[in-house]
Amino acid sequence: MNLLEHTLAALAVQALLRLLTGSWWPGAAVASAYFLGREVAQAEYRWIEAYGHGLRANMPWWGPFDLRVWPKLDQWVDWIGPLVSTSAVAFALRKR
């Protein structure tokens, strides 16, 4: 996926949930949580492979937050993009 695909998917989910709920915030929360959770899970696997000798039991609670397993830009953009874009839309289009 390119750097914008996760952001575009998050905005699509947000728009769909806006139609269903009448608010922009549930879509922002769901889309942001999904992409953040996905990236954290991938970081767990990277940590287990690199430092945990292949065993999940060897991973400390902070393993997925170890900056050594977040070396690439796309790993950051894949969760920051949806978080920032959906929050911005929800804030800008909130009911007054």
Side-chain angles (χ1 to χ4, degrees), residues 1-84:
M1 292 188 130
N2 70 33
L3 294 178
L4 293 178
E5 286 180 344
H6 286 166
T7 299
L8 295 175
L11 291 169
V13 168
Q14 183 181 28
L16 176 64
L17 286 176
R18 164 63 169 95
L19 293 173
L20 296 174
T21 66
S23 174
W24 291 100
W25 288 107
V30 167
S32 297
Y34 172 77
F35 285 110
L36 177 59
R38 181 177 183 275
E39 293 304 316
V40 168
Q42 290 178 359
E44 288 178 352
Y45 287 112
R46 289 191 300 270
W47 197 97
I48 291 166
E49 183 178 328
Y51 307 108
H53 307 291
L55 298 174
R56 180 176 297 276
N58 292 337
M59 184 179 68
W61 68 267
W62 50 265
F65 308 107
D66 187 343
L67 294 179
R68 296 177 295 175
V69 296
W70 292 86
K72 298 179 184 174
L73 175 64
D74 67 325
Q75 296 163 344
W76 291 93
V77 173
D78 285 349
W79 69 270
I80 292 173
L83 177 71
V84 170

